[in-house]
Amino acid sequence: MSVGGWVMMTLFWALTLGLNLFCLYKLLTVRPSDVD
Amino acid sequence: MRIRDTWTGRVGIIMAVAGSAVGLGNFLRFPVQAVENGGGAFMIPYLVALLFLAIPLCWVEWAMGRAAGSAGHGSGPGIFNFFAPSRAARWFGALGILIPLLIYLYYIYIESWCLAFAFFALSGDLSKAVEADQVAGFLTSYQGVGSTDWFSNMSVAFIFFLITFAMNFFVVYLGVRRGIELVTKIATPILIALGIFIAYHVITLGAPDPAKPDWSSLRGFGFLWNPDLSALLNAKVWLAAAGQVFFTASVGLGLIITYASYLKKNDDIALSSLSAISINEFLEVIIGASIAIPAAYIFFGPSGAADIAASGGFNLGFVTMPIIFWKMPLSAFLAFFWFFLLFLAGVTSSISMLQPAIAFFEDELGWSRKKSVSVLFAFTFLASQPAIWFLAKGVLDTLDFWAGTFLVVIFAFGEALLFGWFFGAEDGFKEIQRSAAIKVPMIFKYIIKYVTPLYLGVILLVWLYQNGGSLIPSTSSPNFRYEVATLVGMALVFIILIALVEIADRRGAFSARAQKGGSR
């Protein structure tokens, strides 16, 4: 795999995992009472 | 007064919407699109389309569904009428029932193939087809297009269709909470686990043939991810990325608005919507990209993988993947897991296609669930027969071209205009932010008003420029009569839907919102 390939794969895997972790963190920490 | 069903919690609807979005396209269409459109470079227009098209449109659909649902409306006509009370809005909104219904008519048949192939992988019948032409023969004879030692007629295919069809209706009959939510809460995590399991097997294959050390998993990933930056100058690549993002997010189908209508008035939508998208992206960008194409490269090399990609995702999934699995350890189980994965992805999508019609029957016509499901069962069973028996005559392709491609973009365009302009971006943005568990950046107010409709408008115009001629069947086509008959059938279904919308209107369904709101 070329350097460009590594960069793109790492970047988009990180973005996707980051988005998932962000959502999971918020789902676990933000209670319904926090938003009302 | 009938009380509308609701989700038990946000995990339920997130799993249901994610399950609806995750389909065969995540595992078959996405990797092929990436390879054909610049590899890693494809992901740049993909990300742009995700930010400006999919994420805002999902928020729009969730917000529309929640707002209209709290007034007792869970399908296109009622939801569109809620935001812009008029006959035109109700008729246009009927597309939100028509589109998923038409897609269901052929999707359910393809879904049953996945179940059958999973069964034949375990029974050992599929493993007797070791070459590509043998697997292709297995598939076509199963479909009744040809005859082989495996299948001489369509009886087996029809039995699997009946099983799949009955399963789907059993789930929707149980309702949103006890049926759809329960099934998707179980099926979606299994789907994720199966995807991770198969992807792990492909990633750890290394270079299984010592004579061909270059045919390795690492180079297989390079085949998909190495960027061809010159592709970014090609408008076709940007359009392909926008199309992939649009279809993978399941927007414009009328599904999310219906699912969101079963939210409670003050349930969060900003985080729930983003969470469903993020699960879909995980199963596309990470898992979807790590199975079929890298595996094809490992066993067929660069030119073989390029040929396989060029033959399309469908061929990749049903013909190439079994041959690849036969070359791997635990082949029967891997093939079973693969087709069961596709089957689960299909089930969680197809049950969502039935719900808009059921919501319409229950909410606007006041029918019981039993009556709604029975009528829909009878209709979809009869109407799906042409796609099964005239598969080789292009009925399935005509349905897919119109409902699965053209009408979804039209419907999404209408949604974007309705929400951003008729309802107003200011009020719309407030609706998205209401009870939100995350803060949605202010810039999305302008994206929803200007960028998303413009983006969709451009996609629609370019699509019409490139494919508009195909909307009218060509007299020179050998399947001309079948294509025309399919179009007439689709028009008839739409006319029946419009008539039902008018009947609902006469019984005051669209003017009794305030009274219905009390039931929540």
Side-chain angles (χ1 to χ4, degrees):
Chain A
M1 184 149 61
S2 69
V3 175
W6 275 112
V7 169
M8 296 308 282
M9 191 173 93
T10 310
L11 180 68
F12 281 93
W13 277 40
L15 276 174
T16 308
L17 287 173
L19 183 64
N20 273 275
L21 288 173
F22 169 77
C23 290
L24 190 61
Y25 171 74
K26 286 287 182 183
L27 284 169
L28 292 174
T29 56
V30 181
R31 287 166 296 143
S33 57
D34 292 342
V35 295
D36 286 335
Chain B
M1 183 181 289
R2 188 179 60 80
I3 296 174
R4 291 187 87 234
D5 222 346
T6 54
W7 305 98
T8 56
R10 55 185 175 186
V11 173
I13 187 171
I14 289 168
M15 288 296 166
V17 174
S20 170
V22 175
L24 272 58
N26 291 56
F27 306 99
L28 302 177
R29 193 173 189 270
F30 169 74
V32 168
Q33 288 287 316
V35 165
E36 298 265 285
N37 292 289
F42 176 75
M43 295 309 292
I44 293 168
Y46 182 94
L47 180 66
V48 171
L50 192 71
L51 284 173
F52 294 110
L53 195 65
I55 292 176
L57 263 177
C58 282
W59 274 329
V60 165
E61 291 205 358
W62 280 70
M64 285 174 72
R66 183 185 60 175
S70 64
H73 300 290
S75 61
I79 294 173
F80 272 63
N81 186 69
F82 179 82
F83 287 97
S86 64
R87 174 168 279 147
R90 291 192 290 274
W91 285 24
F92 187 82
L95 285 178
I97 305 169
L98 179 78
I99 294 168
L101 264 189
L102 293 178
I103 295 175
Y104 181 84
L105 299 181
Y106 62 88
Y107 196 89
I108 186 74
Y109 189 40
I110 298 172
E111 189 181 308
S112 73
W113 301 351
C114 301
L115 181 64
F117 270 54
F119 174 81
F120 291 126
L122 271 191
S123 72
D125 290 301
L126 186 59
S127 64
K128 290 171 190 157
V130 287
E131 300 294 334
D133 57 342
Q134 289 176 313
V135 185
F138 188 95
L139 177 66
T140 51
S141 62
Y142 172 83
Q143 294 165 339
V145 177
S147 177
T148 61
D149 290 343
W150 288 294
F151 308 103
S152 56
N153 58 53
M154 285 178 60
S155 55
V156 176
F158 199 70
I159 290 168
F160 275 100
F161 163 76
L162 289 176
I163 295 169
T164 313
F165 194 87
M167 280 172 60
N168 273 267
F169 269 90
F170 181 66
V171 173
V172 292
Y173 178 70
L174 291 175
V176 170
R177 188 181 284 221
R178 291 195 306 134
I180 294 171
E181 180 170 341
L182 191 66
V183 167
T184 49
K185 262 184 176 172
I186 297 167
T188 308
I190 294 176
L191 202 160
I192 294 169
L194 282 178
I196 292 172
F197 177 78
I198 301 172
Y200 173 79
H201 262 262
V202 173
I203 291 168
T204 54
L205 270 174
D209 187 349
K212 291 163 183 160
D214 284 349
W215 293 13
S216 66
S217 41
L218 191 60
R219 283 180 182 258
F221 276 81
F223 181 69
L224 194 144
W225 284 100
N226 288 344
D228 169 18
L229 293 173
S230 66
L232 295 176
L233 300 174
N234 188 345
K236 177 183 143 283
V237 172
W238 286 81
L239 193 70
Q244 177 60 28
V245 167
F246 182 83
F247 292 116
T248 193
S250 274
V251 285
L253 292 163
L255 308 178
I256 297 175
I257 51 174
T258 292
Y259 270 4
S261 77
Y262 296 103
L263 284 166
K264 297 183 190 80
K265 195 175 177 183
N266 291 318
D267 278 345
D268 153 80
I269 57 169
L271 177 61
S272 299
S273 172
L274 200 61
S275 302
I277 293 173
S278 72
I279 293 173
N280 181 59
E281 289 310 304
F282 175 76
L283 284 167
E284 179 152 300
V285 175
I286 297 183
I287 302 300
S290 302
I291 300 178
I293 288 292
Y297 187 96
I298 292 166
F299 292 105
F300 296 99
S303 61
D307 289 343
I308 289 165
S311 69
F314 193 78
N315 195 44
L316 176 67
F318 282 91
V319 177
T320 311
M321 287 307 284
I323 305 167
I324 290 169
F325 288 130
W326 306 149
K327 298 172 193 281
M328 292 165 72
L330 298 170
S331 57
F333 286 104
L334 279 173
F336 167 75
F337 287 150
W338 168 253
F339 286 112
F340 196 64
L341 165 87
L342 296 184
F343 175 68
L344 286 181
V347 169
T348 50
S349 300
S350 59
I351 52 176
S352 69
M353 295 169 195
L354 295 171
Q355 196 57 33
I358 291 175
F360 174 71
F361 294 155
E362 289 185 338
D363 297 336
E364 319 301 359
L365 293 174
W367 292 0
S368 66
R369 185 181 303 150
K370 190 176 178 184
K371 184 179 176 184
S372 305
V373 172
S374 303
V375 168
L376 196 62
F377 183 97
F379 166 74
T380 50
F381 183 78
L382 291 174
S384 57
Q385 299 308 309
I388 298 171
W389 299 97
F390 303 123
L391 180 74
K393 302 292 184 187
V395 172
L396 192 153
D397 293 333
T398 307
L399 281 169
D400 184 48
F401 186 72
W402 268 83
T405 314
F406 176 58
L407 290 178
V408 282
V409 186
I410 296 273
F411 190 64
F413 188 55
E415 280 178 339
L417 287 182
L418 182 80
F419 196 80
W421 292 84
F422 283 90
F423 186 53
E426 194 71 43
D427 289 341
F429 191 70
K430 277 184 195 158
E431 181 60 29
I432 292 169
Q433 283 279 44
R434 190 165 57 77
S435 301
I438 52 168
K439 189 169 166 53
V440 177
M442 181 67 87
I443 192 170
F444 276 98
K445 184 165 81 179
Y446 304 100
I447 290 173
I448 285 168
K449 182 162 187 176
Y450 299 105
V451 183
T452 306
L454 190 67
Y455 215 133
L456 277 168
V458 170
I459 291 176
L460 187 60
L461 285 177
V462 176
W463 190 89
L464 279 173
Y465 176 74
Q466 290 178 340
N467 306 289
S470 307
L471 288 172
I472 301 162
S474 164
T475 49
S476 61
S477 165
N479 299 323
F480 175 70
R481 282 188 303 164
Y482 292 91
E483 289 169 14
V484 171
T486 309
L487 282 176
V488 171
M490 287 193 288
L492 268 177
V493 177
F494 189 59
I495 290 167
I496 292 168
L497 274 175
I498 294 297
L500 290 174
V501 169
E502 289 301 305
I503 290 169
D505 190 27
R506 296 226 173 131
R507 62 184 293 276
F510 303 113
S511 57
R513 291 190 302 275
Q515 292 93 321
K516 282 190 175 177
S519 67
R520 302 299 289 264

